[in-house]
Amino acid sequence: MEIGVFIPIGNNGWLISDNSPTYMPSFELNKQIVQKAESYGLDFALSMIKLRGFGGRTEHWDHNLESFTLMAGIAAVTSRIKLFASTAILTLPPALCARMAVTIDSIAPGRFGVNIVTGWQAAEYEQMSLWPGNAYFGYRYDYAEEYVKVMKDLWTNGSSDFKGKHFTMNDCKLSPKPSQPIKIVAAGQSPRGVEFAANFADYNFCGASGHNTPKTFEKGNLALVEAATKAGRDVGAMVLFMIIVYETDDEAWAKWDWYSKGVDLDATSWVTSQATKDTNAASTSTASRISRNDNPVNLNGGALIGSYKTVAKHLDEAAEIAGTKGIMLIFDDFLLGLDKFGKHVQPLMKSRSHVKEAS
């Protein structure tokens, strides 16, 4: 079971609350987080791409770094951990993305991959006149398929003559090629999104929900396993959890309640308004999940809250779900949270026993 960290490329991480830790994003902070994750034997770090925040009193995600340039810097100061950067595919041509990926692979051979972001928040792209209109929601995975085909052409062959509806390559060249195949991460939750992931990705995010309910993503996993089997490919599920961990269950829940009381409703209302623009979104889609989040203080939705023993038990339960290959963690306080995970939670996890043995 691979464990990774979803690093805070945007201000204040994933808690939309006046009462949560507040900080601006910086290379130094993210470097320290990834180096600490590497020191505890974590397997990967992934950075999102966010081009416009949600405002409100907390100015949530109004302040963001850029994913590829950040991960290039982190690649140079790490030695083992795998790194994933995110491409907002409406903003970055696939041939350029492919070349950027090869550049980071040159810094960290065999350790780099690309997360495909089709886009659900129209305002991110409207501000740059790059939004194709809401009809895009209906064909975004067709667009993403062509995008990935172009990149894989270039990485495999060093050239591409791909001719599609959205992209046309004319003897497009790429050299050098990557040292190893570059892994693709997707986040499709709708039936069409899962189909895309099954055919073109190596990992796919499966959304969890609720508090201390680590198996809520099992149905989504089953859909991914079935789609990947149909496609004849091995695609692993990657589930995301917010971790609120302290010495006792009571202390962790008290902290969670404190965060919840400070929810920034102006920011969460903005999120909902953007998520509901896709009027034909499937009930399993990311937009639908965000719009019905029962505790909006946590943008992710799924949280594991409790003592070291409680959180370790729930993470092991999640690891047991068929098809799960990775768990990605977010924390209220990333540096402190990683120390607590590395020193007190991971050693209790059956699914991470190999880390203890390796150390």
Side-chain angles (χ1 to χ4, degrees):
M1 174 56 55
E2 294 190 353
I3 295 284
V5 59
F6 202 178
I7 64 176
I9 196 170
N11 62 302
N12 305 343
W14 277 260
L15 287 168
I16 311 180
S17 172
D18 288 310
N19 296 337
S20 64
T22 59
Y23 47 85
M24 292 291 286
S26 69
F27 170 72
E28 183 61 29
L29 173 62
N30 283 279
K31 179 189 76 172
Q32 290 182 30
I33 289 169
V34 178
Q35 288 179 331
K36 189 178 288 287
E38 185 173 61
S39 74
Y40 286 124
L42 270 68
D43 301 286
F44 66 92
L46 187 148
S47 64
M48 68 174 182
I49 183 68
K50 184 57 61 178
L51 305 169
R52 187 184 184 96
F54 308 143
R57 300 184 307 277
T58 59
E59 299 182 349
H60 193 80
W61 286 354
D62 286 353
H63 313 281
N64 274 276
L65 303 181
E66 191 281 320
S67 186
F68 272 77
T69 46
L70 174 65
M71 299 315 268
I74 290 175
V77 294
T78 53
S79 60
R80 182 197 57 80
I81 195 167
K82 290 183 285 189
L83 305 170
F84 294 92
S86 297
T87 173
I89 61 177
L90 286 174
T91 68
L92 189 62
L96 183 56
C97 181
R99 191 174 295 273
M100 291 162 64
V102 170
T103 302
I104 300 180
D105 177 73
S106 179
I107 301 170
R111 292 197 288 128
F112 185 69
V114 177
N115 177 39
I116 303 297
V117 178
T118 59
W120 61 268
Q121 186 187 356
E124 292 188 76
Y125 309 97
E126 289 171 338
Q127 66 182 355
M128 298 180 282
S129 299
L130 292 176
W131 184 244
N134 288 352
Y136 172 70
F137 289 123
Y139 65 83
R140 59 181 173 164
Y141 286 109
D142 299 331
Y143 189 95
E145 283 188 3
E146 293 192 7
Y147 194 99
V148 174
K149 285 178 180 178
V150 169
M151 291 201 299
K152 289 191 173 185
D153 263 0
L154 293 169
W155 290 333
T156 303
N157 305 315
S159 64
S160 177
D161 276 302
F162 179 85
K163 303 291 189 294
K165 182 176 181 180
H166 307 289
F167 298 102
T168 299
M169 300 293 111
N170 298 304
D171 192 29
C172 183
K173 298 295 187 181
L174 175 68
S175 184
K177 293 186 287 187
S179 62
Q180 296 181 33
I182 291 178
K183 301 295 186 181
I184 296 291
V185 179
Q189 303 295 297
S190 65
R192 181 67 182 93
V194 171
E195 179 188 22
F196 164 75
N199 283 281
F200 294 95
D202 299 286
Y203 301 94
N204 190 53
F205 287 120
C206 287
S209 61
H211 308 141
N212 290 357
T213 52
K215 295 188 176 183
T216 55
F217 67 100
E218 186 168 14
K219 185 176 180 181
N221 261 32
L222 179 60
L224 176 63
V225 169
E226 291 177 346
T229 300
K230 182 179 178 180
R233 301 185 70 247
D234 180 17
V235 182
M238 190 181 290
V239 61
L240 177 64
F241 286 111
M242 165 75 71
I243 303 296
I244 308 293
V245 62
Y246 288 83
E247 290 189 11
T248 67
D249 289 337
D250 287 345
E251 187 180 3
W253 278 105
K255 184 65 72 170
W256 176 256
D257 290 341
W258 172 242
Y259 293 152
S260 298
K261 288 177 182 177
V263 61
D264 183 349
L265 293 176
D266 290 334
T268 59
S269 294
W270 170 265
V271 176
T272 300
S273 71
Q274 289 293 301
T276 54
K277 286 193 173 185
D278 184 0
T279 57
N280 295 314
S283 61
T284 56
S285 70
T286 299
S288 294
R289 178 182 59 79
I290 289 173
S291 66
R292 64 174 181 268
N293 192 348
D294 60 354
N295 194 321
V297 70
N298 173 19
L299 183 62
N300 165 57
L304 302 180
I305 305 165
S307 66
Y308 307 138
K309 183 178 179 180
T310 295
V311 171
K313 176 176 72 74
H314 288 320
L315 286 169
D316 275 335
E317 289 172 351
E320 293 172 355
I321 302 297
T324 305
K325 290 191 176 179
I327 297 175
M328 189 160 66
L329 308 179
I330 51 181
F331 299 94
D332 47 349
D333 183 315
F334 275 80
L335 292 172
L336 180 60
L338 274 167
D339 277 333
K340 289 189 289 188
F341 176 81
K343 294 176 181 178
H344 303 294
V345 176
Q346 185 168 244
L348 300 176
M349 294 174 60
K350 295 178 182 178
S351 59
R352 297 291 287 173
S353 60
H354 61 284
V355 177
K356 183 177 180 180
E357 292 169 359
S359 62

